[in-house]
Amino acid sequence: MFKDYNMNQLILPLDLEVRLQKNDIAFHVHHLVESIPHEAFEPFLRNEGCPAYHPRMMLKIILCAYTQSVFSGRKIEALLKDSIRMMWLAQGYEPSYRTINRFRVQPEVKELIRQCFVQFRCQLVQEKIIDQEAIFIDGTKIEANANKFTFVWKKSIEKYHQGLIEKSNHLYKELLKNEIMPQIVQESEEELTLEELTQIVEKVDEVISEYDQKIEASTNGAERKALRSERKFPKQARKQLMDHIQRKQRYQKDFEIFGTRNSYSKTDPDATFMRMKDDYMKNGQLKAGYNVQVATEGQYALAYSLFSNPTDTRTLIPFLDQIEQHYFELPKHIVADAGYGSEQNYDDILSNRKREALITYGMYVKEQKKKYKQNPFNTANWQYDKEKDVYTCPNQQQLVFKNYSVRTDKEGFTREFKIYECENCSGCPLRSSCTKAKEGNHRKVMVNEKWEQQKEYVRAKLSEEETSSIYRKRKIDVEPVFGFLKANLHFNRFSVRGKSKVENEMGLALMAVNLRKFTANR
């Protein structure tokens, strides 16, 4: 005996919501998007043309598709035809893949995604899933949708640009030497600008036109031949100058794209070439990608931002600024790994934001080892007399204070150093182990007092039970978010190009991770 099976009979109920399980992820997607204020959808209103799909519905179906590891517009369109949860969220509508792709890259969608993160965090706080005690910050690199071999390097462009400057100056001097044109540029100028090159081309054109008129007016064959011979150099110079102008324009455009970066991809100029962890050939291959910074708590992504620079050190301050401006007020503790440990970052968190920085620095782990502490040639182990302000080296020679030194990095941050110098290093039996300075030069030590105070602060905080327990949560809080994103959600590469579009896709992917975890915990 079989259960009743009849394809010709209408089966009730028709409401698809009844077919979904009680804790289906579609309900959480629905409640999250519905919690977004109505004002956030007003920029999508249009008074002309065919009525558009409601942005709430579009955001719901895209978020739900991302939770199922479906990122392609065509595959999302297919899901709308055979997935019950997608049919219920769309309420029978079937937008095409073009409509889906156009919607998710709109600039206005960025505000909707931000509202998703804000509302999701409010829900976590309301249900007491997170305690708002600390945020855990880390970064990961995700490959851009760009060709691996269409790269442009800043050093190469600088080299070619310098060569172009030398060629242009040499050609200009040749034109002056042959008295083809008058001097229009001051001799003190090292580089010809685009406007000056254009003026030179105009002057050369006038000279060529004069030769053309003389050749047309002349009836003597020998004279015409001589004029054509004289005209040859100006015509060649004009051709070279036009090439120089085109190259200079191209190089200037390259420098504008570079900004503070060292490389970019031709297929996605916002992407920078970085070293990825998935280097299967182990040959240090570079790929175009983005540096994704995420702030988490309770293994949920609460805020994110994308950067084009591969290192994490310079991303912390702008990322914290974005969190405060767009997401939430910073908690008491800011936790990150040693990649973020720098004097500028400590100074910003402790002095400007009045927060506690539970961030290690590069030498923190090494300083804890017995070998480092017992090494007599480490200046950190040298005896220091605070009253006399002198250091004593392993050979019992004193290093006295000489002068102050101020260094400014390319970002404009200044650091102050105190320089100590040994009174006499000549004939020291420990010289080869103590210093690599040339014979005749005395041993010097540079001390950054502010940096040393910051390191002492970090060591003291991480030795306390309460703050050390918070720092130990870092690995089990932020790292699982990246693991879930890449291993479970299979989000390893962006499908769009351009930083604004990539930011939208990254936000959708991270919110999909949050929704899947939230549903699983329920």
Side-chain angles (χ1 to χ4, degrees):
M1 186 175 181
F2 296 103
K3 293 182 179 181
D4 184 45
Y5 177 71
N6 189 347
M7 295 289 290
N8 299 319
Q9 182 178 351
L10 185 64
I11 300 176
L12 297 176
L14 294 178
D15 188 0
L16 295 174
E17 182 179 358
V18 180
R19 305 295 304 274
L20 297 175
Q21 295 182 6
K22 186 176 180 181
N23 189 38
D24 195 273
I25 197 169
F27 292 123
H28 298 293
V29 173
H30 168 71
H31 293 313
L32 175 64
V33 178
E34 288 295 328
S35 66
I36 299 176
H38 176 73
E39 293 76 14
F41 297 94
E42 290 180 354
F44 294 89
L45 288 174
R46 300 290 184 270
N47 297 323
E48 299 177 353
C50 178
Y53 292 112
H54 201 290
R56 286 191 193 271
M57 184 269 289
M58 296 296 296
L59 183 58
K60 287 177 185 178
I61 62 174
I62 293 174
L63 266 178
C64 188
Y66 271 62
T67 61
Q68 309 306 308
S69 301
V70 178
F71 314 117
S72 165
R74 291 181 184 270
K75 291 182 179 179
I76 295 175
E77 180 186 8
L79 277 182
L80 289 167
K81 295 179 173 64
D82 55 20
S83 171
I84 295 177
R85 58 169 63 98
M86 293 286 281
M87 291 178 186
W88 175 68
L89 290 173
Q91 288 295 296
Y93 291 113
E94 295 181 359
S96 68
Y97 71 92
R98 289 189 181 90
T99 305
I100 294 169
N101 289 339
R102 281 197 297 264
F103 176 82
R104 61 178 169 177
V105 298
Q106 288 185 54
E108 295 84 0
V109 175
K110 184 176 182 180
E111 173 61 19
L112 296 185
I113 296 172
R114 187 191 72 82
Q115 287 285 352
C116 283
F117 279 91
V118 172
Q119 298 299 329
F120 185 77
R121 181 178 180 275
C122 291
Q123 185 176 355
L124 295 178
V125 173
Q126 185 178 0
E127 299 187 13
K128 297 181 179 180
I129 297 176
I130 60 175
D131 53 16
Q132 307 180 75
E133 184 182 23
I135 56 168
F136 304 87
I137 296 176
D138 203 355
T140 187
K141 298 178 181 65
I142 296 183
E143 187 178 351
N145 182 15
N147 193 313
K148 300 176 184 178
F149 307 105
T150 56
F151 43 75
V152 182
W153 300 104
K154 190 172 186 178
K155 286 187 177 180
S156 298
I157 298 300
E158 288 175 346
K159 176 184 174 182
Y160 296 143
H161 185 242
Q162 186 60 37
L164 178 65
I165 292 172
E166 294 174 359
K167 290 180 181 178
S168 300
N169 291 341
H170 178 72
L171 183 58
Y172 173 65
K173 291 176 182 177
E174 287 289 321
L175 291 171
L176 293 178
K177 182 179 178 181
N178 294 328
E179 298 181 352
I180 293 176
M181 58 174 295
Q183 183 172 345
I184 61 174
V185 182
Q186 297 180 2
E187 295 182 359
S188 59
E189 292 189 21
E190 298 180 357
E191 178 182 354
L192 295 171
T193 63
L194 278 173
E195 292 76 13
E196 291 168 346
L197 286 172
T198 305
Q199 292 178 16
I200 295 172
V201 170
E202 292 174 356
K203 294 291 184 182
V204 173
D205 279 336
E206 293 176 2
V207 173
I208 294 173
S209 298
E210 291 176 3
Y211 276 113
D212 291 339
Q213 293 173 4
K214 291 179 181 179
I215 292 171
E216 290 179 2
S218 175
T219 57
N220 189 333
E223 185 182 359
R224 288 166 61 91
K225 185 176 181 180
L227 289 171
R228 282 195 295 267
S229 178
E230 293 177 8
R231 187 186 61 176
K232 185 176 181 180
F233 176 70
K235 291 185 71 174
Q236 290 177 344
R238 183 186 184 280
K239 184 178 180 181
Q240 292 179 20
L241 286 168
M242 294 300 296
D243 177 63
H244 291 176
I245 290 174
Q246 291 179 0
R247 287 173 60 190
K248 195 172 188 66
Q249 290 174 338
R250 188 167 68 249
Y251 294 155
Q252 287 185 355
K253 184 179 179 181
D254 287 335
F255 286 126
E256 290 176 3
I257 296 174
F258 281 128
T260 58
R261 298 181 292 162
N262 293 321
S263 64
Y264 76 86
S265 171
K266 290 181 180 179
T267 46
D268 185 359
D270 291 334
T272 308
F273 279 83
M274 310 174 180
R275 295 193 187 276
M276 304 291 181
K277 288 185 178 179
D278 54 341
D279 185 11
Y280 307 113
M281 299 299 291
K282 304 297 181 183
N283 57 359
Q285 184 182 14
L286 299 174
K287 294 181 182 178
Y290 291 91
N291 186 357
V292 182
Q293 297 292 310
V294 178
T296 69
E297 186 179 359
Q299 297 185 359
Y300 292 102
L302 306 181
Y304 77 99
S305 186
L306 267 75
F307 296 89
S308 298
N309 49 311
T311 56
D312 292 333
T313 310
R314 298 292 182 185
T315 63
L316 183 62
I317 294 176
F319 184 37
L320 293 177
D321 289 338
Q322 290 188 27
I323 293 175
E324 288 187 312
Q325 292 173 11
H326 303 297
Y327 293 98
F328 54 87
E329 184 181 353
L330 292 174
K332 181 180 179 181
H333 301 98
I334 297 174
V335 189
D337 61 15
Y340 300 86
S342 71
E343 182 180 344
Q344 186 176 6
N345 290 342
Y346 289 137
D347 186 61
D348 178 77
I349 296 172
L350 299 175
S351 303
N352 299 340
R353 305 181 195 274
K354 308 299 181 183
R355 300 295 192 273
E356 291 189 1
L358 302 184
I359 304 173
T360 56
Y361 48 90
M363 291 289 291
Y364 177 78
V365 176
K366 191 174 182 179
E367 287 177 357
Q368 312 304 315
K369 295 183 179 180
K370 184 177 179 181
K371 182 180 178 181
Y372 182 89
K373 293 180 179 180
Q374 294 182 350
N375 186 353
F377 297 105
N378 282 336
T379 56
N381 300 328
W382 288 6
Q383 183 181 353
Y384 175 67
D385 189 336
K386 191 173 183 179
E387 295 181 357
K388 297 181 180 179
D389 194 18
V390 295
Y391 283 88
T392 304
C393 74
N395 196 33
Q396 302 305 311
Q397 296 293 324
Q398 290 187 339
L399 285 83
V400 297
F401 171 73
K402 287 293 183 182
N403 61 286
Y404 287 97
S405 175
V406 178
R407 294 188 177 184
T408 305
D409 59 18
K410 60 181 181 181
E411 301 293 331
F413 183 75
T414 58
R415 294 179 295 168
E416 296 182 357
F417 295 90
K418 293 180 70 175
I419 310 297
Y420 295 84
E421 186 175 356
C422 184
E423 295 177 342
N424 186 13
C425 280
S426 57
C428 177
L430 305 177
R431 180 182 177 86
S432 59
S433 301
C434 184
T435 180
K436 295 181 180 178
K438 295 181 179 179
E439 197 67 36
N441 295 335
H442 300 306
R443 178 71 158 98
K444 291 184 179 182
V445 174
M446 296 179 65
V447 179
N448 185 340
E449 290 185 334
K450 188 175 182 180
W451 174 239
E452 295 299 328
Q453 292 172 2
Q454 291 172 345
K455 292 197 294 183
E456 182 60 33
Y457 163 84
V458 172
R459 289 193 291 266
K461 281 294 178 183
L462 296 184
S463 63
E464 298 175 6
E465 180 60 32
E466 180 184 358
T467 50
S468 64
S469 63
I470 294 174
Y471 180 78
R472 287 196 296 269
K473 294 179 184 177
R474 188 193 65 81
K475 288 185 179 180
I476 62 173
D477 197 290
V478 66
E479 297 293 350
V481 174
F482 297 140
F484 201 108
L485 177 71
K486 295 183 178 182
N488 294 0
L489 206 65
H490 304 293
F491 189 89
N492 298 302
R493 191 172 189 263
F494 291 110
S495 58
V496 292
R497 296 174 180 176
K499 188 176 180 180
S500 62
K501 298 177 182 179
V502 166
E503 284 178 340
N504 287 357
E505 187 173 33
M506 190 72 251
L508 293 168
L510 287 172
M511 186 48 63
V513 171
N514 288 343
L515 289 167
R516 284 185 62 165
K517 184 172 182 60
F518 186 78
T519 305
N521 289 342
R522 286 300 187 98

